[in-house]
Amino acid sequence: MLTRKQAVEFLRDKPVKYAHMLGFDKLTDIHNEWIREMVLGKEDFTLEAHRGSYKTTCVSIAIVETMLLLPSFRTLFMRKTDDDVKEVVNQVRKILEAPHTQVFSNAIYGINLKLPVSNATEISTNLITDAKGSNQLSAISAGSSLTGRHFDRIFDDDIINVKDRISR
């Protein structure tokens, strides 16, 4: 039986092992540091790495871990296009619905994780304990408005792509 302390320490200290449990088996020790910084870091953090280095996968795991370990945090995810946004939100949803994630939710909070809000651009779990009314995850494309919105964590990913860097 996994205790609350063991579950929190595992997610906090070994996010790549959690990712491996979910099937993301190409992540390595460097990704562990990236995810830890995304979830636990206190300062702004810019990650610059080559194409195919699993940055987006790390962002997805970091968003899920933020929702599990810091459920009162409001997270914004931004990407270039609406379709790109939907792809990552769908991946986050699948990770939240995974049996391994349920095990951690039960160990930490004593309840099954549910998604009372789950659509193409927003997700919230039943782990929220405050009355802010905002969703845990809001996702928008690069041209969307941010006026009047407040977040504890902001992740942007691929807001400039190859098409933006090539001209006739």
Side-chain angles (χ1 to χ4, degrees):
M1 182 76 174
L2 190 63
T3 68
R4 181 181 198 285
K5 182 179 178 190
Q6 289 170 327
V8 168
E9 287 176 355
F10 184 86
L11 291 173
R12 184 191 66 212
D13 299 336
K14 301 172 186 171
V16 165
K17 286 192 177 188
Y18 171 56
H20 289 174
M21 295 166 75
L22 298 163
F24 299 102
D25 57 356
K26 295 188 175 160
L27 300 185
T28 64
D29 289 341
I30 189 69
H31 300 107
N32 207 60
E33 296 309 311
W34 294 354
I35 296 166
R36 284 178 44 79
E37 183 63 30
M38 289 179 207
V39 176
L40 303 170
K42 303 286 187 218
E43 302 293 325
D44 289 348
F45 173 64
T46 299
L47 175 61
E48 296 180 65
H50 64 84
R51 291 183 56 77
S53 62
Y54 303 102
K55 297 178 299 294
T56 302
T57 301
C58 289
V59 168
S60 295
I61 297 294
I63 289 171
V64 169
E65 287 210 354
T66 300
M67 293 174 80
L68 285 171
L69 296 173
L70 306 164
S72 64
F73 273 33
R74 299 304 181 252
T75 300
L76 173 67
F77 175 74
M78 291 179 62
R79 210 161 183 209
K80 175 87 175 169
T81 68
D82 288 337
D83 287 341
D84 294 339
V85 165
K86 291 173 187 174
E87 176 187 340
V88 173
V89 171
N90 190 45
Q91 184 172 56
V92 167
R93 179 182 307 102
K94 287 180 178 180
I95 295 168
L96 286 167
E97 292 173 340
H100 293 296
T101 305
Q102 290 294 334
V103 169
F104 285 105
S105 174
N106 274 293
I108 296 169
Y109 299 101
I111 59 172
N112 288 327
L113 183 80
K114 295 189 184 326
L115 305 178
V117 176
S118 178
N119 59 52
T121 61
E122 298 175 314
I123 298 177
S124 277
T125 70
N126 59 330
L127 304 179
I128 296 175
T129 57
D130 63 26
K132 288 181 187 173
S134 302
N135 290 308
Q136 283 177 284
L137 173 64
S138 298
I140 61 174
S141 60
S144 301
S145 172
L146 288 172
T147 304
R149 301 177 81 177
H150 306 280
F151 299 97
D152 301 293
R153 287 276 190 275
I154 299 174
F155 295 94
D156 60 60
D157 182 40
D158 291 340
I159 54 174
I160 297 173
N161 61 27
V162 174
K163 290 179 187 174
D164 297 315
R165 301 187 58 120
I166 299 172
S167 69
R168 287 182 273 154

